[in-house]
Amino acid sequence: AQKVTQAQTEISVVEKEDVTLDCVYETRDTTYYLFWYKQPPSGELVFLIRRNSFDEQNEISGRYSWNFQKSTSSFNFTITASQVVDSAVYFCALSELNNDMRFGAGTRLTVKP
Amino acid sequence: ETGVTQTPRHLVMGMTNKKSLKCEQHLGHNAMYWYKQSAKKPLELMFVYSLEERVENNSVPSRFSPECPNSSHLFLHLHTLQPEDSALYLCASSHQGYEQFFGPGTRLTVL
């Protein structure tokens, strides 16, 4: 069975600090997809990134970067130079072939000015 | 134009009322989903429709009844709800197995 663990329930940082959100997953499949979503206070989940299990190349998009390591079953998300607008709940998710997405419990990030 | 829309955005209902939540997607996806998000709880997948057929029902009480008349529309019919059903109800759509795109949600309060 697929499972996603986000051990950090809440993180608080001061603006301009870097912050890393951890995600550990479990799956028996060799083919799967990993995702990150952002849920701002408005409530709508915003898709950030999808990674497939065969692509371990790290990705950078502006201040966001993702570190995918199959050896440790982790897909961590780093925000560089955090801003107040980054305050949100962030969800990591896993999808196996022919199975629906399973979400972690989420990490609430608060960025203080 | 927003890819996935949900109406109403807020709903207050009594336990004896009957109401429906509506979701519409404009992304050409073939799968649609209902999720429940309660305070301090993980996202709970309630129903999945793929090609307009229900493929998953995660032990959801019968007071929640989904309907998918076509690939663009999804409804959640509510009747005789309980106060513990108060939550944010999120609709999403996707091509099966790929990233899901979410609507803004309906904030439901059951009195």
Side-chain angles (χ1 to χ4, degrees), chain B residues 12-37:
Chain B
V12 179
M13 59 187 288
M15 297 197 312
T16 57
N17 291 159
K18 287 185 180 181
K19 296 285 184 183
S20 295
L21 310 185
K22 179 182 176 182
C23 175
E24 185 172 358
Q25 61 100 357
H26 310 274
L27 301 169
H29 290 158
N30 58 11
M32 295 187 77
Y33 311 79
W34 278 117
Y35 287 86
K36 175 184 178 182
Q37 187 177 32

Side-chain angles (χ1 to χ4, degrees), chain B residues 1 3 7 9-10 12-13 15 17-18 21 30 39 46-48 53-54 58 60 87 91 93 101-102:
Chain B
E1 183 182 1
T7 55
R9 295 293 308 276
H10 299 272
V12 179
M13 59 187 288
M15 297 197 312
N17 291 159
K18 287 185 180 181
L21 310 185
N30 58 11
M46 300 175 71
F47 299 104
V48 179
E53 288 190 12
R54 189 192 307 182
N58 286 337
V60 179
C91 172
S93 71
F101 291 86
F102 285 79

